[in-house]
Amino acid sequence: MLQALELLAVLAAASFGLLLARSKQLDLVGVCCVTFLVAFGGGTLRDVLLDRQPLFWIEHEHYAWIVFGIAIAGSLLPRLPRRLERWLNLPDALGMALFSIVGAGVAIRTETFPVSPFLASLFGVMTGTFGGVLGDIACNDVPRLFQPTMTLYATCSWIGCWVYLLLRGTSLGPDVALWSGTVTIVLLRLAAVRWNLRLPATRA
Amino acid sequence: MLQALELLAVLAAASFGLLLARSKQLDLVGVCCVTFLVAFGGGTLRDVLLDRQPLFWIEHEHYAWIVFGIAIAGSLLPRLPRRLERWLNLPDALGMALFSIVGAGVAIRTETFPVSPFLASLFGVMTGTFGGVLGDIACNDVPRLFQPTMTLYATCSWIGCWVYLLLRGTSLGPDVALWSGTVTIVLLRLAAVRWNLRLPATRA
Amino acid sequence: MLQALELLAVLAAASFGLLLARSKQLDLVGVCCVTFLVAFGGGTLRDVLLDRQPLFWIEHEHYAWIVFGIAIAGSLLPRLPRRLERWLNLPDALGMALFSIVGAGVAIRTETFPVSPFLASLFGVMTGTFGGVLGDIACNDVPRLFQPTMTLYATCSWIGCWVYLLLRGTSLGPDVALWSGTVTIVLLRLAAVRWNLRLPATRA
């Protein structure tokens, strides 16, 4: 079950990378690089900042093959389905949720030095959402995650990470915590898309 | 004294991040991310490149809380004081000076491999100034630090780092070296602001 | 021979950084930072992702001095030679080829965890080409490497890395593998420049 979800998470993230790269009319090289960056950027940043070696996509190499395959196949398609972005809402919510909770769990279980729940929650958000941020920066856009036009995304991730981290310490066990956190994020994210929930812009 | 200065340095850097994020009309998520990036980016880059673990804001977690608090509070304010940027000149000069000297000191004292004074001076400048560079890149601007419109900033940092590194080897002791370097940077930076000192632009 | 080629590679990469920084009319600080980033960015990223310490330009410090010297001298010149970019085609092809093959070799010989030939080939391309990508991102451009206007570059690097990695396992020995890979990249790259070979753009 978790394996299938992880695969879905990587697939959804890679598809968003593909969409971004094609909207910028990059070539095959650009599509591959941006797809890798969006799919693996958040987790790689977490691993580098927490000094975890090897990186998750070096340890689980099949992820790298899958993303590479999506990028190549996705470059060769003459056109992407028009509604791809809308179809991706649910898999993306699932993927972002799973990446966030796994990221927070990896951070809180760091063995070489203590990481507090507060910092672990930030690492969870980073794992779940920073692939897209790095992709936007590489494609010369202000990251959509930072902008008020974006429906709630990092906020859903952060709340779910706290649900996971707080339940983890109770007698309910790690599985209940993991699934509660994941479901919280998915429901919040789908609600944000459905009712177009956003944070207001700040002013200079 | 050093503790108070360090706190001031983090506060000043976070305030600049806040100013930058609000000038781009980001939302709460964007303000938090950019504020973290400007406040912690330079030191994090130094720690990652020198393989120092845990990162300074994981080891001294209260810094992360302070920056988080500034970002949240600063997002909720309806307006920032108009002259905030001018008020920040002195605290920013102090903060940049302290970050630079501490960064150069951390680099020169690396235990796992030798780091020469020349490289340590570059790590000092990186620690003191690259938070703003990363913030500008994330906000889709050419870094102001790289442009001829900027009054002397990295240059002041570099000269002060050399003052620190050269005095450190003498019989005057590390405290005299630290304060001489810091004061040099602050005075040079305030002079650069006062007399609008800049480096010329290059041409293609 | 290898020493001389490595020096040439660093010189060519630094010259491209200089050209980029001057085309953006940066000041001395900007020229130094962008030149360092273009010359050392790819190798540094490889070292950080593979957890190799110290970084190659900390271990071989004379590279840092050379790049620093080029940046300072190149900032002070009133004008760069008009045809510099064309003169750089051959040294850049040589430099990119050598960086790629050395990068793939460093990755495949990682001792702390296994790195497959597929991942090693990606690290080779990263080492050879990502300095320019990071420079473009810092200068607020969509990386030229990702765009269909660019003649084949990463593609040449990738094919040559595979030539090296496949021959390395045979009885021909590492030297034959290294030179075959390098020559493959140089010839492919020069052919791409000569006949203006490109990859097509994708569409949204």
Side-chain angles (χ1 to χ4, degrees), chain A:
Chain A
M1 176 78 181
L2 200 67
Q3 293 272 322
L5 269 181
E6 256 186 358
L7 190 63
L8 194 72
V10 171
L11 284 171
S15 304
F16 266 102
L18 185 62
L19 271 169
L20 171 62
R22 288 189 64 133
S23 75
K24 295 279 171 180
Q25 307 182 332
L26 304 182
D27 66 10
L28 180 62
V29 170
V31 170
C32 286
C33 292
V34 171
T35 305
F36 260 93
L37 195 58
V38 173
F40 295 148
T44 302
L45 198 59
R46 174 204 64 205
D47 286 351
V48 167
L49 296 185
L50 291 176
D51 201 23
R52 279 169 47 89
Q53 286 290 335
L55 303 179
F56 76 100
W57 50 270
I58 296 183
E59 195 170 4
H60 306 287
E61 195 196 331
H62 58 283
Y63 287 154
W65 280 101
I66 292 168
V67 170
F68 196 69
I70 293 176
I72 301 277
S75 301
L76 299 178
L77 284 178
R79 254 181 191 293
L80 295 183
R82 264 206 201 169
R83 300 201 180 164
L84 180 57
E85 196 155 359
R86 201 186 295 173
W87 294 343
L88 283 174
N89 269 331
L90 181 61
D92 179 57
L94 275 167
M96 183 269 276
L98 198 78
F99 272 4
S100 302
I101 301 296
V102 168
V106 160
I108 199 82
R109 287 194 308 270
T110 304
E111 281 162 20
T112 37
F113 46 83
V115 174
S116 70
F118 169 62
L119 291 177
S121 74
L122 299 186
F123 275 106
V125 175
M126 183 191 287
T127 310
T129 68
F130 268 40
V133 170
L134 293 174
D136 284 341
I137 292 174
C139 286
N140 206 14
D141 288 330
V142 177
R144 281 163 289 178
L145 189 82
F146 296 179
Q147 294 194 65
T149 45
M150 178 87 174
T151 46
L152 295 183
Y153 197 87
T155 319
C156 311
S157 165
W158 198 53
I159 295 173
C161 285
W162 274 110
V163 168
Y164 164 71
L165 290 164
L166 293 176
L167 286 184
R168 205 178 153 272
T170 66
S171 58
L172 292 168
D175 277 2
V176 173
L178 189 152
W179 292 112
S180 307
T182 307
V183 169
T184 304
I185 296 177
V186 172
L187 293 181
L188 285 175
R189 174 63 188 148
L190 293 180
V193 171
R194 173 71 186 76
W195 288 291
N196 201 15
L197 307 176
R198 308 174 189 202
L199 290 167
T202 56
R203 286 189 301 173

Side-chain angles (χ1 to χ4, degrees), chain B residues 22-104:
Chain B
R22 288 189 64 135
S23 75
K24 296 279 171 178
Q25 307 182 333
L26 304 181
D27 65 9
L28 179 62
V29 170
V31 170
C32 286
C33 292
V34 171
T35 305
F36 260 93
L37 196 58
V38 173
F40 295 148
T44 302
L45 199 58
R46 175 202 62 205
D47 286 351
V48 167
L49 295 185
L50 291 176
D51 201 24
R52 279 169 46 90
Q53 287 289 336
L55 303 179
F56 76 101
W57 50 271
I58 296 183
E59 194 171 5
H60 305 288
E61 196 195 329
H62 59 283
Y63 287 153
W65 280 100
I66 291 169
V67 170
F68 195 70
I70 292 175
I72 301 276
S75 301
L76 299 178
L77 285 178
R79 254 177 193 296
L80 295 184
R82 265 206 202 169
R83 300 198 180 167
L84 180 56
E85 198 156 359
R86 199 185 297 172
W87 294 343
L88 283 174
N89 270 331
L90 181 60
D92 179 56
L94 274 168
M96 184 268 276
L98 199 78
F99 272 5
S100 301
I101 300 296
V102 168

